[in-house]
Amino acid sequence: MQHIQSYISDHKERFLNELLELLKIPSVSADPAFKDDVIKTANAIKNSLEEAGCDRVEVCETKGYPIVYGEKIIDKNLPTVLVYGHYDVQPADPLDLWDSPPYEPVIKKTDIHPEGAIFARGACDDKGQMFMHVKALEFMTKTNQLPCNVKFMIEGEEEVGSVSLSAFVKENREKLQNDVILISDTGMIAQDVPSITTGLRGLSYVEVEVTGPNRDLHSGLYGGAVANPINILTKMIASLHDENNHITIPGFYDKVEELSEAERAEMAKAPFSLEAYKNALDIDAVYGEKGYTTNERNSIRPTLDVNGIWGGYTGEGAKTVIASKAFAKISMRLVPHQDWENITELFQMHFERIAPKGVRVKVKPHHGGQGYVTPIDSVGYQAASKAYEDTFGKKPIPQRSGGSIPIVALFEEELKSKTILMGFGLNSDAIHSPNEHFGVWNYFKGIETIPLFYKYFTELSA
Ligand code: BES
Ligand code: MN
Ligand code: MN
């Protein structure tokens, strides 16, 4: 029977080229200008799933972008793995900060990726990682080594909140029935430090608007005499954290689970260099909630961050003006048990309450989702752990991530199955940023590790 390494070396060029072709299509879900390209990408995924050996592949229409569904059922008595991924990408801008055009993928060597990395929007998040699963399936079907049933569900709206997928999951519980969900849309600690993501943060995303006088005013004639919406907005935002960087919204921490000292000590064992972290970001100090380490601040603790702020005059030169309105977009990353809709309400009530006389405040909720944690004693985690041990030569470390994939909590609620997050990206891969990339080594490591997950999951489930 052919081994995965020999299959990869026989098909290496093609495996790379097929991914590069996919990366050439700008499937930006946020911007309607890319609509045709998003749909074109869905069709390309459909074709690749058929070629990889799925028996039934459909492009399922939704109110938004289609969901590509494919399956290969070999025996109803065997377990079923459901693979989830997304074919949409974040907008590429600011374009001038890219060293090469975002939709003209190139492979370049970097310090961390001496074997080369693919530079393109979506290379790591999530086309490259999703495509590892398609190629792993191809290997298993073409060499008769698929040990169980497999279903694929690849969506095109992850980067804009997975709205259509929520409805699709609720309407297709039967069809999506599975024993474990497998996703590669997260990261790992370092090339030589494999890790499995055991937690994701939830999210509440809001936009705020502060209105003062009914028109923009001369800042000399009116300055000092009326509330300036930008001054007020920044003051309100600043008050959302206290001197210890705790969030001041009443009730915000009520549901937050404090980890035991033992759990925190376990977390602290993960290799981490504060110096390297600061150097990579060109900062002279880290910053955050008092009483917690950097890794705790960005995973097990909730946060509040302004993502954008605007108002008044920002053009060339100076204009003396007091703007009538000021705006900000604010995201709150949440931890398991914090309910995102409840947090959105608490934010709204607090923000309206702290507004001084002289301005009016509007809070507009955008999207959100619940956080997720998964135990390490499940069959799925154990199977993944064994797979990594085989391909990396060491046991992977469980790690809670700071990012969000809101649909994962919904999967558990609706489909009653656990999700295993086998991510092969690195934090330095610059997802959502200019010059996003994905290591060629990581791509093939993923393709090599995934079939072993299927094998161990089937064995351990028997
Ligand atoms: N793949 C990311 C999430 C991620 C990345 C989790 C790295 C863990 C490690 C996903 O595509 C994403 O960007 N999610 C958004 C939320 C979504 C609702 C827009 C996020 O985390 O900001
Ligand atoms: Mn993603
Ligand atoms: Mn993303």
Side-chain angles (χ1 to χ4, degrees):
M1 218 175 312
Q2 191 174 13
H3 192 268
I4 179 70
Q5 266 152 1
S6 106
Y7 192 85
I8 289 177
S9 60
D10 287 353
H11 301 277
K12 204 160 185 168
E13 283 305 302
R14 180 172 59 82
F15 277 17
L16 274 175
N17 288 334
E18 286 175 359
L19 174 56
L20 299 187
E21 285 307 309
L22 206 57
L23 291 169
K24 287 180 188 167
I25 323 174
S27 50
V28 180
S29 51
D31 184 348
F34 294 92
K35 186 170 182 225
D36 292 349
D37 287 307
V38 182
I39 293 166
K40 193 172 151 193
T41 310
N43 291 316
I45 306 286
K46 171 180 186 275
N47 294 338
S48 65
L49 281 173
E50 277 166 353
E51 283 161 21
C54 278
D55 289 334
R56 195 155 65 87
V57 188
E58 342 169 277
V59 174
C60 307
E61 296 305 327
T62 71
K63 283 190 184 133
Y65 286 122
I67 293 156
V68 187
Y69 175 83
E71 62 178 35
K72 184 163 181 74
I73 308 297
I74 56 172
D75 181 346
K76 289 250 169 335
N77 297 314
L78 285 169
T80 301
V81 175
L82 173 69
V83 176
Y84 162 82
H86 62 94
Y87 64 82
D88 64 320
V89 300
Q90 287 273 328
D93 56 273
L95 286 174
D96 53 317
L97 294 183
W98 284 77
D99 296 330
S100 57
Y103 303 108
E104 293 172 28
V106 287
I107 298 179
K108 281 186 293 191
K109 291 188 171 50
T110 72
D111 288 347
I112 295 177
H113 298 291
E115 295 174 46
I118 306 159
F119 283 78
R121 170 57 83 231
C124 179
D125 184 11
D126 180 39
K127 285 174 176 165
Q129 296 213 68
M130 174 270 295
F131 207 63
M132 299 182 310
H133 289 270
V134 181
K135 294 298 102 180
L137 175 68
E138 175 194 312
F139 160 71
M140 291 185 286
T141 60
K142 303 285 176 205
T143 64
N144 275 314
Q145 298 184 65
L146 180 67
C148 61
N149 305 311
V150 53
K151 295 176 177 174
F152 270 73
M153 178 169 67
I154 313 296
E155 71 154 318
E157 295 180 357
E158 196 277 341
E159 300 292 8
V160 289
S162 301
V163 177
S164 304
L165 186 66
S166 306
F168 184 81
V169 170
K170 288 177 188 161
E171 287 158 16
N172 291 280
R173 282 200 201 89
E174 203 59 42
K175 175 185 185 135
L176 301 173
Q177 212 49 59
N178 65 80
D179 297 284
V180 72
I181 297 170
L182 186 59
I183 304 180
S184 296
D185 192 23
T186 53
M188 58 181 200
I189 295 175
Q191 298 294 63
D192 55 349
V193 189
S195 57
I196 297 174
T197 303
T198 52
L200 293 164
R201 285 196 284 192
L203 180 69
S204 164
Y205 201 107
V206 299
E207 187 170 323
V208 298
E209 178 188 304
V210 174
T211 307
N214 60 5
R215 59 183 166 88
D216 288 5
L217 302 173
H218 188 289
S219 67
L221 292 182
Y222 288 93
V226 295
N228 175 331
I230 302 177
N231 292 7
I232 301 290
L233 174 62
T234 51
K235 199 167 168 179
M236 288 169 73
I237 287 172
S239 80
L240 297 175
H241 290 94
D242 70 12
E243 68 283 6
N244 293 322
N245 275 315
H246 288 299
I247 294 156
T248 55
I249 300 169
F252 187 84
Y253 291 100
D254 283 1
K255 302 277 169 59
V256 174
E257 179 189 14
E258 286 290 340
L259 264 65
S260 68
E261 281 310 315
E263 283 170 295
R264 293 178 68 185
E266 196 53 43
M267 265 191 81
K269 285 189 195 159
F272 176 73
S273 156
L274 191 59
E275 275 318 300
Y277 188 85
K278 290 190 292 186
N279 283 341
L281 302 176
D282 273 330
I283 50 175
D284 57 8
V286 291
Y287 186 91
E289 191 183 3
K290 192 174 175 191
Y292 296 91
T293 66
T294 296
N295 275 338
E296 289 172 340
R297 288 171 179 165
N298 68 25
S299 65
I300 60 163
R301 298 298 296 167
T303 57
L304 182 152
D305 278 290
V306 178
N307 291 240
I309 184 160
W310 68 103
Y313 184 69
T314 56
E316 285 295 318
K319 178 185 178 193
T320 48
V321 67
I322 293 172
S324 161
K325 283 177 188 291
F327 304 85
K329 290 186 195 278
I330 297 173
S331 69
M332 289 165 276
R333 294 284 168 172
L334 311 174
V335 295
H337 307 306
Q338 279 184 299
D339 175 69
W340 77 271
E341 285 173 312
N342 173 242
I343 292 292
T344 306
E345 247 171 66
L346 292 179
F347 176 92
Q348 180 152 14
M349 275 169 12
H350 180 67
F351 212 71
E352 285 167 359
R353 204 182 53 78
I354 62 174
K357 286 211 171 80
V359 298
R360 276 161 294 139
V361 163
K362 259 195 229 160
V363 177
K364 178 174 144 199
H366 278 273
H367 55 74
Q370 314 295 26
Y372 184 72
V373 267
T374 192
I376 63 168
D377 57 5
S378 69
V379 172
Y381 186 91
Q382 291 304 319
S385 181
K386 281 166 80 77
Y388 279 77
E389 247 187 286
D390 283 5
T391 55
F392 285 82
K394 51 176 117 168
K395 234 190 165 77
I397 296 171
Q399 188 203 28
R400 279 173 65 171
S401 170
S404 309
I405 311 177
I407 203 70
V408 172
L410 189 111
F411 286 158
E412 180 148 290
E413 200 179 305
E414 298 292 331
L415 305 175
K416 312 282 175 231
S417 42
K418 296 257 169 286
T419 292
I420 303 301
L421 298 155
M422 289 176 52
F424 292 88
L426 298 177
N427 277 354
S428 54
D429 287 346
I431 62 171
H432 295 203
S433 303
N435 302 315
E436 175 179 354
H437 54 281
F438 186 40
V440 170
W441 182 87
N442 302 65
Y443 179 54
F444 288 113
K445 206 62 171 172
I447 299 173
E448 192 186 328
T449 309
I450 291 162
L452 290 164
F453 171 82
Y454 282 72
K455 172 176 169 265
Y456 289 127
F457 186 74
T458 308
E459 283 174 17
L460 294 174
S461 303

